[in-house]
Amino acid sequence: MNKVDHSFTIGNVKFNNTVLTASGTYGFGLEFAKIIDVSRLGGIATKGLSLEPKKGNPGERIYETPAGMLNSIGLENPGVDSFKKDYLPEAAKLGTKIIANISGSSLEEYGLMAESLESEKDVAALEVNISCPNVKAGGMAFGTDLKMVEKVTEIVKKNTTKPVIIKLSPNVTNIVDFAQAAQYSGADAVSLINTLMGMAIDINKRKPVLGNVMGGLSGPAVKPVALRMVYQVSQKAKIPVIGMGGISNPRDAIEFLLAGANAIMLGTINFREPQMPLDIIEGIEKYCLDNGFNSVQDLVGLAWKEEKHVKTNRCT
Ligand SMILES: Cc1cc2nc3c(=O)[nH]c(=O)nc-3n(C[C@H](O)[C@H](O)[C@H](O)COP(=O)(O)O)c2cc1C
């Protein structure tokens, strides 16, 4: 039994732990459940779901980089109907909250995805991936256009009563504007960051390595960028912030909490050290006990909150 309160809430949903796993790095949790006790996690964000099944991108999809990885999976997934029928019933038995990560290639698709999951009682919340190309607008990602972020948020909110988490793209000039656009349009929380666009070239073939040419960079290489963005967004946001990007050990996780994240998600580290989410939960517990905090939420934003505020927020 934990001596520290690890819970946090989004909308009307209470999560038992601030440590969750990030979309696309944990499937639907079923494989990892054979290795670790996933019921100790605050939740699992599913692989990004689309209206129809997707095969993903051809050619090389993953490339290891110094301190990180590039991926261009292309949202391979079984589609929302198969998710509901074939995966959700099993995932619901894992004893942790399931967050459905949804994507769309048009505004209408985002609305239909939200509607399709509305009656699923085992889906605790929706996380909306806006780093997807808007096919009708020539393939520009929804998440890099402020107006589109507002419209996606509005249409998803209109079609669901579940808490809506908008997952922000870091591939923008000022991420705070995007967080605020999501918040003003009704988002219940924001999560950040999705991957940073990057690429690699095979010097022998003299061609890009990835089949899709460009891919998303994740892992320790992106951590300082992600931490900076969480620090900026959380000072302006009036809704919970979920931080992610390169978190690989308890110290990284605590940095994100101090930067202002109410919860964190772990992605790339799951491929290398699948037990790390539990090590991080224990590390956060120890840090709180050693420093006299009895709730993880008391750590949130201490890196920027004024000293006066720090003292009143401490529960010693
Ligand atoms: C292989 C892979 C697949 C991913 N798929 C998705 C996805 O389907 N939807 C999504 O919103 N984010 C996806 N992401 C982004 C992660 O959820 C996370 O935002 C990002 O990797 C940064 O965290 P990390 O550095 O801890 O991995 C994916 C990341 C990786 C590495």
Side-chain angles (χ1 to χ4, degrees):
M1 173 86 172
N2 291 323
K3 297 190 190 87
V4 173
D5 179 2
H6 287 257
S7 68
F8 75 103
T9 50
I10 298 178
N12 54 5
V13 175
K14 184 175 177 189
F15 293 81
N16 289 336
N17 203 287
T18 53
V19 177
L20 298 88
T21 52
S23 173
T25 66
Y26 224 68
F28 301 112
L30 304 173
E31 291 81 8
F32 285 92
K34 295 175 192 156
I35 310 173
I36 69 162
D37 179 5
V38 295
S39 74
R40 292 181 60 202
L41 299 171
I44 293 171
T46 67
K47 173 63 195 166
L49 300 164
S50 51
L51 214 47
E52 302 297 332
K54 271 196 201 266
K55 286 206 173 88
N57 290 330
E60 292 295 325
R61 295 168 162 202
I62 297 271
Y63 182 72
E64 191 169 346
T65 66
M69 68 188 260
L70 282 166
N71 91 82
S72 68
I73 305 294
L75 279 178
E76 178 179 349
N77 80 94
V80 71
D81 290 335
S82 167
F83 165 69
K84 292 195 291 188
K85 192 161 53 73
D86 305 322
Y87 297 93
L88 184 57
E90 287 306 304
K93 291 183 201 153
L94 298 177
T96 188
K97 294 245 173 337
I98 303 298
I99 299 175
N101 179 287
I102 62 171
S103 55
S105 53
S106 66
L107 271 179
E108 297 71 38
E109 264 186 44
Y110 280 103
L112 291 169
M113 288 293 299
E115 191 184 25
S116 165
L117 291 161
E118 174 59 5
S119 55
E120 299 299 324
K121 63 172 181 16
D122 293 323
V123 171
L126 302 181
E127 182 182 49
V128 185
N129 179 3
I130 53 174
S131 301
C132 309
N134 181 352
V135 172
K136 286 188 187 156
M140 182 184 167
F142 286 95
T144 57
D145 177 337
L146 280 173
K147 270 270 152 279
M148 276 298 152
V149 172
E150 289 173 8
K151 287 187 176 166
V152 171
T153 310
E154 281 163 12
I155 200 162
V156 172
K157 279 297 286 182
K158 209 178 282 174
N159 285 284
T160 189
T161 55
K162 297 183 191 293
V164 172
I165 306 161
I166 299 291
K167 183 162 181 182
L168 302 175
S169 166
N171 302 306
V172 294
T173 314
N174 185 355
I175 198 162
V176 176
D177 292 342
F178 289 82
Q180 287 183 322
Q183 178 184 309
Y184 294 137
S185 308
D188 299 285
V190 286
S191 58
L192 63 148
I193 58 172
N194 209 318
T195 53
L196 277 153
M197 290 299 287
M199 72 177 291
I201 292 177
D202 181 329
I203 62 163
N204 296 317
K205 293 185 183 154
R206 293 184 272 280
K207 290 274 178 271
V209 171
L210 296 173
N212 197 43
V213 181
M214 284 177 238
L217 181 66
S218 62
V222 308
K223 196 200 103 184
V225 177
L227 189 68
R228 182 265 293 177
M229 289 182 164
V230 166
Y231 185 87
Q232 289 178 308
V233 165
S234 63
Q235 289 180 64
K236 296 285 181 204
K238 295 188 170 60
I239 50 179
V241 171
I242 302 177
M244 75 192 97
I247 299 174
S248 307
N249 53 51
R251 191 193 179 101
D252 291 344
I254 293 161
E255 278 190 67
F256 273 76
L257 294 164
L258 295 173
N262 296 89
I264 54 147
M265 284 184 176
L266 306 174
T268 303
I269 190 65
N270 294 308
F271 297 116
R272 210 179 62 210
E273 292 177 85
Q275 89 300 339
M276 187 49 74
L278 302 188
D279 293 354
I280 288 179
I281 291 173
E282 277 155 31
I284 294 173
E285 166 97 4
K286 183 172 181 326
Y287 181 84
C288 286
L289 291 175
D290 289 352
N291 292 279
F293 296 96
N294 47 30
S295 165
V296 177
Q297 292 307 300
D298 291 341
L299 301 178
V300 175
L302 290 186
W304 51 261
K305 283 181 182 163
E306 339 171 75
E307 185 58 19
K308 201 162 50 136
H309 202 164
V310 171
K311 284 190 179 134
T312 54
N313 248 1
R314 265 196 191 186
C315 302
T316 41

